[in-house]
Amino acid sequence: MKWDQIKFSLCMLIVAISIWVMGPSALAEEHEHSHGSESVVSAEIAPGFISISAVSALTMIIAAGALIIQLRASSSRISKMTAMMVSMAIAMFTGLIGGTLLGIWLQSLFYATVLGITIGVAAGVLAGLSHSWLAVLDGMLSGVMSGMMGAMLGVMITQEHPLIMLVFMDVIMLVVVGSVYQALASEHRTERQNQQLHIAESSKAEFTP
């Protein structure tokens, strides 16, 4: 368990550093394209915009991968409701950020929606498959909803601070990932305490005359 915590902490440290690094770049890019005088899409070759989008996508992949690995490692010790909530959370932020990025870059609501839903549903399936089909269904439905919302947001936000929005969503994602990890850790501690209590009661019953 300690080794899993170390690995998860390293992943979250990478995510936090990525967000901290790309925040000033996002503010600088937004300052250059303020007041809607120039479309961000027309400046898509700008290194700052490309790097921020890439870091945001990488942040999403690392966070989703870390949570899926942690969920698979804890699948036998968590309840069905917890697995459903974790699958829903993973599919939600994956589809939302993926759809937003695709909407900003593609400027096509159709393609961004299709690809965003695909990303969200795939993440939900991978997350829930290790526990139950009910968790898979919850992740799939959450992926459909988040993919659509992300695509609409990405297309509409192009002229109004898209890079700051990406950083904001990455910060929210980091909070969600930390909360989900704490929920999994709490579930594991509760299960371990229940097992120890059961063993203690069994041992006491055996030695009771």
Side-chain angles (χ1 to χ4, degrees):
M1 187 64 182
K2 290 183 178 180
W3 176 238
D4 292 335
Q5 292 178 347
I6 292 174
K7 291 190 295 184
F8 189 85
S9 299
L10 288 175
C11 291
M12 290 303 99
L13 180 62
I14 294 174
V15 171
I17 292 175
S18 300
I19 294 174
W20 179 74
V21 168
M22 74 180 184
S25 299
L27 292 174
E29 289 291 325
E30 288 293 342
H31 180 71
E32 293 177 3
H33 301 91
S34 59
H35 307 297
S37 59
E38 186 176 354
S39 174
V40 177
V41 178
S42 65
E44 61 184 8
I45 59 173
F49 186 71
I50 295 175
S51 61
I52 291 171
S53 300
V55 170
S56 183
L58 183 62
T59 300
M60 177 192 71
I61 294 172
I62 292 175
L67 275 185
I68 290 174
I69 292 173
Q70 184 66 22
L71 180 61
R72 288 180 177 273
S74 307
S75 60
S76 61
R77 301 186 296 267
I78 61 176
S79 64
K80 185 177 295 185
M81 180 60 69
T82 302
M84 290 170 58
M85 291 299 296
V86 174
S87 300
M88 182 178 68
I90 294 173
M92 179 62 73
F93 73 72
T94 304
L96 187 62
I97 294 178
T100 302
L101 283 170
L102 290 168
I104 292 173
W105 279 96
L106 299 179
Q107 282 299 292
S108 170
L109 188 58
F110 173 76
Y111 290 109
T113 300
V114 171
L115 294 176
I117 290 176
T118 302
I119 293 172
V121 169
V125 170
L126 287 176
L129 198 59
S130 61
H131 192 273
S132 65
W133 282 105
L134 194 59
V136 171
L137 179 61
D138 202 17
M140 290 176 64
L141 295 177
S142 180
V144 171
M145 181 173 63
S146 62
M148 288 190 294
M149 291 190 301
M152 288 188 291
L153 178 63
V155 172
M156 292 187 297
I157 205 67
T158 303
Q159 299 290 341
E160 188 176 355
H161 313 300
L163 302 182
I164 294 179
M165 177 60 70
L166 288 177
V167 176
F168 173 74
M169 287 196 299
D170 287 339
V171 172
I172 296 299
M173 177 185 63
L174 186 61
V175 173
V176 170
V177 169
S179 300
V180 170
Y181 178 75
Q182 289 300 321
L184 290 174
S186 176
E187 187 99 0
H188 175 67
R189 286 194 299 268
T190 302
E191 180 67 21
R192 185 169 54 185
Q193 290 173 359
N194 291 336
Q195 290 179 353
Q196 291 175 352
L197 182 61
H198 179 71
I199 292 174
E201 290 178 350
S202 300
S203 302
K204 184 178 179 180
E206 288 178 0
F207 289 100
T208 300

Coordinates of all heavy atoms in Angstrom, one line a residue, residues 89-152:
A89 N -16.2 9.8 -12.1 CA -15.2 10.9 -11.9 C -14.2 10.9 -13.0 O -13.8 11.9 -13.7 CB -14.6 10.9 -10.6
I90 N -13.6 9.7 -13.3 CA -12.6 9.6 -14.3 C -13.1 9.9 -15.7 O -12.5 10.7 -16.5 CB -12.0 8.2 -14.3 CG1 -11.2 7.9 -13.0 CG2 -11.0 7.9 -15.5 CD1 -10.7 6.5 -12.8
A91 N -14.3 9.3 -16.0 CA -14.9 9.6 -17.3 C -15.3 11.1 -17.4 O -15.2 11.7 -18.5 CB -16.1 8.7 -17.5
M92 N -15.7 11.7 -16.3 CA -16.2 13.1 -16.4 C -15.0 14.0 -16.7 O -15.1 14.8 -17.7 CB -16.8 13.5 -15.1 CG -17.3 14.9 -15.0 SD -18.6 15.2 -16.2 CE -20.0 14.4 -15.4
F93 N -13.9 14.0 -16.0 CA -12.9 15.0 -16.3 C -12.1 14.6 -17.5 O -11.6 15.5 -18.2 CB -11.9 15.2 -15.1 CG -11.0 14.1 -14.8 CD1 -9.9 13.8 -15.6 CD2 -11.1 13.3 -13.6 CE1 -9.0 12.8 -15.3 CE2 -10.3 12.3 -13.3 CZ -9.2 12.0 -14.2
T94 N -12.1 13.4 -17.9 CA -11.4 13.0 -19.1 C -12.2 13.5 -20.4 O -11.6 14.1 -21.3 CB -11.2 11.5 -19.2 OG1 -10.5 11.0 -18.1 CG2 -10.4 11.1 -20.5
G95 N -13.5 13.2 -20.4 CA -14.3 13.7 -21.5 C -14.4 15.2 -21.6 O -14.4 15.8 -22.6
L96 N -14.5 15.8 -20.4 CA -14.6 17.3 -20.4 C -13.4 18.0 -20.9 O -13.5 18.9 -21.8 CB -14.9 17.7 -18.9 CG -15.2 19.2 -18.7 CD1 -16.5 19.6 -19.5 CD2 -15.4 19.6 -17.3
I97 N -12.2 17.6 -20.4 CA -11.0 18.2 -20.9 C -10.7 17.8 -22.3 O -10.3 18.7 -23.1 CB -9.8 17.9 -19.9 CG1 -10.1 18.5 -18.5 CG2 -8.5 18.4 -20.5 CD1 -9.0 18.2 -17.5
G98 N -10.8 16.5 -22.6 CA -10.6 16.1 -24.0 C -11.5 16.8 -25.0 O -11.0 17.2 -26.0
G99 N -12.8 16.9 -24.7 CA -13.7 17.5 -25.6 C -13.4 19.0 -25.7 O -13.6 19.6 -26.8
T100 N -13.0 19.7 -24.6 CA -12.7 21.1 -24.7 C -11.5 21.3 -25.6 O -11.5 22.3 -26.4 CB -12.4 21.7 -23.3 OG1 -13.6 21.4 -22.4 CG2 -12.1 23.1 -23.3
L101 N -10.5 20.5 -25.4 CA -9.3 20.7 -26.2 C -9.6 20.5 -27.7 O -9.2 21.2 -28.6 CB -8.2 19.7 -25.8 CG -7.4 20.0 -24.5 CD1 -6.6 18.8 -24.1 CD2 -6.5 21.2 -24.8
L102 N -10.4 19.4 -28.0 CA -10.8 19.2 -29.4 C -11.6 20.3 -30.0 O -11.5 20.6 -31.1 CB -11.5 17.8 -29.5 CG -10.6 16.6 -29.2 CD1 -11.5 15.3 -29.0 CD2 -9.6 16.4 -30.3
G103 N -12.5 20.8 -29.1 CA -13.4 21.9 -29.6 C -12.6 23.1 -29.9 O -12.9 23.8 -30.9
I104 N -11.6 23.4 -29.1 CA -10.7 24.6 -29.4 C -9.9 24.4 -30.6 O -9.8 25.3 -31.5 CB -9.8 24.9 -28.2 CG1 -10.6 25.3 -27.0 CG2 -8.8 25.9 -28.5 CD1 -9.8 25.5 -25.7
W105 N -9.4 23.3 -30.8 CA -8.5 23.0 -32.0 C -9.2 22.8 -33.3 O -8.8 23.3 -34.3 CB -7.5 21.9 -31.7 CG -6.4 22.3 -30.8 CD1 -6.3 22.1 -29.5 CD2 -5.1 22.9 -31.3 NE1 -5.0 22.6 -29.0 CE2 -4.3 23.1 -30.1 CE3 -4.7 23.2 -32.5 CZ2 -3.1 23.7 -30.2 CZ3 -3.4 23.8 -32.6 CH2 -2.6 24.0 -31.5
L106 N -10.3 22.0 -33.2 CA -11.0 21.6 -34.4 C -12.0 22.6 -34.9 O -12.3 22.7 -36.1 CB -11.7 20.2 -34.2 CG -10.8 19.0 -33.9 CD1 -11.6 17.8 -33.7 CD2 -9.7 18.8 -35.0
Q107 N -12.6 23.4 -33.9 CA -13.7 24.3 -34.2 C -14.8 23.7 -35.0 O -15.4 24.3 -35.9 CB -13.1 25.5 -35.0 CG -12.4 26.5 -34.1 CD -13.3 27.1 -33.0 OE1 -14.2 27.8 -33.3 NE2 -13.1 26.8 -31.8
S108 N -15.0 22.4 -34.7 CA -16.1 21.7 -35.3 C -16.9 21.0 -34.2 O -16.3 20.1 -33.6 CB -15.6 20.6 -36.3 OG -16.6 19.8 -36.8
L109 N -18.1 21.4 -34.0 CA -18.9 20.8 -32.9 C -19.1 19.3 -33.1 O -19.1 18.5 -32.2 CB -20.2 21.6 -32.8 CG -21.1 21.2 -31.5 CD1 -20.3 21.4 -30.2 CD2 -22.3 22.0 -31.5
F110 N -19.3 18.9 -34.4 CA -19.6 17.5 -34.7 C -18.4 16.6 -34.3 O -18.6 15.7 -33.5 CB -20.0 17.3 -36.1 CG -20.1 15.9 -36.6 CD1 -21.3 15.2 -36.2 CD2 -19.1 15.3 -37.3 CE1 -21.4 13.8 -36.6 CE2 -19.3 14.0 -37.7 CZ -20.4 13.2 -37.3
Y111 N -17.3 16.9 -34.9 CA -16.1 16.1 -34.7 C -15.6 16.1 -33.3 O -15.2 15.1 -32.7 CB -15.0 16.5 -35.7 CG -15.3 16.1 -37.1 CD1 -15.6 17.1 -38.0 CD2 -15.3 14.8 -37.5 CE1 -15.8 16.8 -39.4 CE2 -15.6 14.4 -38.8 CZ -15.9 15.4 -39.7 OH -16.1 15.1 -41.1
A112 N -15.7 17.3 -32.7 CA -15.2 17.5 -31.3 C -16.1 16.7 -30.4 O -15.7 16.0 -29.4 CB -15.2 18.9 -30.9
T113 N -17.4 16.7 -30.6 CA -18.4 15.9 -29.8 C -18.2 14.4 -29.9 O -18.1 13.7 -28.9 CB -19.8 16.3 -30.2 OG1 -20.0 17.7 -30.0 CG2 -20.8 15.5 -29.3
V114 N -18.0 14.0 -31.2 CA -17.8 12.5 -31.4 C -16.5 12.0 -30.7 O -16.5 11.0 -30.0 CB -17.8 12.2 -32.9 CG1 -17.3 10.8 -33.1 CG2 -19.2 12.4 -33.5
L115 N -15.5 12.8 -30.9 CA -14.2 12.4 -30.3 C -14.2 12.5 -28.8 O -13.6 11.7 -28.1 CB -13.0 13.2 -31.0 CG -12.8 12.9 -32.5 CD1 -11.7 13.8 -33.0 CD2 -12.4 11.4 -32.7
G116 N -14.8 13.6 -28.3 CA -14.8 13.8 -26.9 C -15.6 12.7 -26.2 O -15.2 12.2 -25.1
I117 N -16.8 12.4 -26.8 CA -17.6 11.3 -26.2 C -16.8 10.0 -26.2 O -16.8 9.2 -25.3 CB -18.9 11.1 -26.9 CG1 -19.8 12.3 -26.6 CG2 -19.6 9.8 -26.6 CD1 -21.1 12.3 -27.4
T118 N -16.1 9.7 -27.3 CA -15.3 8.5 -27.4 C -14.2 8.4 -26.3 O -14.0 7.4 -25.7 CB -14.6 8.4 -28.8 OG1 -15.6 8.5 -29.8 CG2 -13.8 7.1 -29.0
I119 N -13.5 9.5 -26.1 CA -12.5 9.6 -25.1 C -13.1 9.3 -23.7 O -12.6 8.5 -22.9 CB -11.7 10.9 -25.1 CG1 -10.9 11.0 -26.4 CG2 -10.8 11.1 -23.9 CD1 -10.3 12.4 -26.6
G120 N -14.2 10.0 -23.4 CA -14.8 9.9 -22.1 C -15.4 8.5 -21.9 O -15.2 7.9 -20.8
V121 N -16.0 7.9 -22.9 CA -16.6 6.5 -22.7 C -15.5 5.5 -22.6 O -15.6 4.6 -21.7 CB -17.5 6.2 -23.9 CG1 -17.8 4.7 -24.0 CG2 -18.7 7.0 -23.9
A122 N -14.4 5.7 -23.3 CA -13.3 4.7 -23.2 C -12.6 4.8 -21.8 O -12.3 3.7 -21.2 CB -12.2 5.1 -24.3
A123 N -12.5 6.0 -21.3 CA -11.9 6.1 -19.9 C -12.9 5.5 -18.9 O -12.4 4.8 -18.0 CB -11.7 7.6 -19.6
G124 N -14.2 5.7 -19.0 CA -15.1 5.1 -18.1 C -15.2 3.6 -18.2 O -15.3 3.0 -17.1
V125 N -15.1 3.1 -19.4 CA -15.0 1.6 -19.5 C -13.8 1.0 -18.9 O -13.8 0.0 -18.1 CB -15.1 1.2 -21.0 CG1 -14.8 -0.3 -21.2 CG2 -16.5 1.6 -21.6
L126 N -12.6 1.6 -19.1 CA -11.4 1.1 -18.6 C -11.4 1.2 -17.0 O -10.8 0.3 -16.4 CB -10.2 2.0 -19.1 CG -9.8 1.7 -20.6 CD1 -8.7 2.6 -21.0 CD2 -9.3 0.2 -20.8
A127 N -12.0 2.3 -16.5 CA -12.0 2.4 -15.1 C -13.0 1.4 -14.4 O -12.7 0.8 -13.4 CB -12.5 3.9 -14.7
G128 N -14.2 1.3 -15.0 CA -15.2 0.4 -14.3 C -15.0 -1.1 -14.6 O -15.6 -1.9 -13.9
L129 N -14.3 -1.4 -15.7 CA -14.2 -2.8 -16.1 C -13.5 -3.7 -15.0 O -13.8 -4.9 -15.0 CB -13.4 -2.9 -17.4 CG -13.6 -4.2 -18.2 CD1 -15.0 -4.4 -18.6 CD2 -12.7 -4.2 -19.5
S130 N -12.7 -3.1 -14.2 CA -12.0 -3.9 -13.2 C -12.9 -4.3 -12.0 O -12.5 -5.1 -11.2 CB -10.8 -3.2 -12.7 OG -11.2 -2.0 -12.1
H131 N -14.1 -3.7 -11.9 CA -14.9 -3.9 -10.8 C -16.2 -4.6 -11.1 O -16.5 -5.7 -10.8 CB -15.2 -2.6 -10.0 CG -15.8 -2.8 -8.7 ND1 -17.2 -2.9 -8.5 CD2 -15.3 -2.9 -7.4 CE1 -17.5 -3.1 -7.2 NE2 -16.3 -3.1 -6.6
S132 N -17.1 -3.9 -11.9 CA -18.4 -4.5 -12.2 C -18.9 -3.8 -13.5 O -18.5 -2.7 -13.8 CB -19.4 -4.3 -11.1 OG -19.6 -3.0 -10.8
W133 N -19.9 -4.4 -14.1 CA -20.5 -3.8 -15.3 C -21.4 -2.6 -14.9 O -21.6 -1.8 -15.8 CB -21.4 -4.9 -16.0 CG -20.6 -5.8 -16.8 CD1 -20.3 -7.1 -16.6 CD2 -19.9 -5.5 -18.1 NE1 -19.4 -7.6 -17.5 CE2 -19.2 -6.7 -18.5 CE3 -19.8 -4.4 -18.9 CZ2 -18.5 -6.7 -19.6 CZ3 -19.1 -4.4 -20.0 CH2 -18.4 -5.6 -20.4
L134 N -21.9 -2.6 -13.7 CA -22.6 -1.4 -13.3 C -21.7 -0.2 -13.2 O -22.1 0.9 -13.6 CB -23.2 -1.6 -11.9 CG -24.3 -0.6 -11.4 CD1 -25.4 -0.6 -12.4 CD2 -24.8 -1.0 -10.1
A135 N -20.4 -0.4 -12.8 CA -19.5 0.7 -12.8 C -19.1 1.1 -14.2 O -18.9 2.3 -14.5 CB -18.2 0.3 -12.0
V136 N -19.0 0.1 -15.1 CA -18.8 0.4 -16.5 C -19.9 1.3 -17.1 O -19.6 2.2 -17.8 CB -18.6 -0.9 -17.3 CG1 -18.6 -0.6 -18.8 CG2 -17.4 -1.7 -16.9
L137 N -21.1 0.9 -16.8 CA -22.3 1.7 -17.3 C -22.3 3.1 -16.8 O -22.5 4.0 -17.6 CB -23.6 1.0 -16.9 CG -24.9 1.6 -17.4 CD1 -24.9 1.7 -18.9 CD2 -26.1 0.9 -16.8
D138 N -22.0 3.2 -15.5 CA -21.9 4.6 -14.9 C -20.8 5.4 -15.6 O -21.0 6.6 -15.9 CB -21.6 4.5 -13.4 CG -22.1 5.7 -12.7 OD1 -22.8 6.5 -13.3 OD2 -21.6 5.9 -11.5
G139 N -19.6 4.8 -15.9 CA -18.6 5.5 -16.5 C -18.9 5.9 -18.0 O -18.6 7.0 -18.4
M140 N -19.6 5.0 -18.7 CA -20.0 5.2 -20.1 C -20.9 6.4 -20.1 O -20.8 7.3 -21.0 CB -20.6 4.0 -20.7 CG -19.6 2.9 -20.9 SD -20.4 1.4 -21.6 CE -21.0 2.0 -23.1
L141 N -22.0 6.4 -19.3 CA -22.9 7.5 -19.3 C -22.3 8.8 -19.0 O -22.6 9.9 -19.6 CB -24.1 7.2 -18.4 CG -24.9 5.9 -18.8 CD1 -26.0 5.7 -17.7 CD2 -25.6 6.1 -20.1
S142 N -21.4 8.8 -18.0 CA -20.7 10.0 -17.6 C -19.8 10.5 -18.7 O -19.7 11.7 -19.0 CB -19.9 9.8 -16.3 OG -19.2 11.0 -16.0
G143 N -19.2 9.6 -19.5 CA -18.3 10.0 -20.6 C -19.1 10.6 -21.7 O -18.6 11.5 -22.4
V144 N -20.3 10.1 -22.0 CA -21.2 10.7 -23.0 C -21.5 12.1 -22.7 O -21.4 13.1 -23.5 CB -22.5 9.9 -23.2 CG1 -23.5 10.6 -24.1 CG2 -22.1 8.5 -23.8
M145 N -21.9 12.3 -21.4 CA -22.3 13.7 -21.0 C -21.2 14.7 -21.0 O -21.3 15.8 -21.5 CB -23.0 13.6 -19.6 CG -23.4 14.9 -19.1 SD -24.3 14.8 -17.5 CE -23.0 14.1 -16.5
S146 N -20.0 14.2 -20.4 CA -18.9 15.1 -20.3 C -18.3 15.4 -21.7 O -17.8 16.5 -22.0 CB -17.8 14.5 -19.4 OG -17.3 13.3 -19.9
G147 N -18.3 14.4 -22.6 CA -17.8 14.7 -23.9 C -18.5 15.7 -24.7 O -18.0 16.6 -25.4
M148 N -19.9 15.7 -24.6 CA -20.7 16.7 -25.2 C -20.5 18.1 -24.6 O -20.4 19.1 -25.3 CB -22.2 16.3 -25.1 CG -22.6 15.1 -26.0 SD -24.4 14.9 -26.0 CE -24.7 14.4 -24.3
M149 N -20.4 18.1 -23.3 CA -20.3 19.4 -22.6 C -18.9 20.0 -23.0 O -18.8 21.2 -23.2 CB -20.4 19.3 -21.1 CG -21.8 19.0 -20.7 SD -22.0 19.1 -18.9 CE -20.8 17.9 -18.3
G150 N -17.8 19.2 -23.0 CA -16.5 19.7 -23.3 C -16.4 20.2 -24.7 O -15.8 21.3 -24.9
A151 N -17.0 19.5 -25.6 CA -17.0 19.9 -27.0 C -17.7 21.3 -27.2 O -17.2 22.2 -27.9 CB -17.6 18.9 -27.9
M152 N -18.9 21.4 -26.6 CA -19.6 22.7 -26.7 C -18.8 23.8 -26.1 O -18.7 24.9 -26.6 CB -20.9 22.6 -26.0 CG -21.9 21.7 -26.8 SD -23.6 21.7 -26.1 CE -23.3 20.8 -24.6

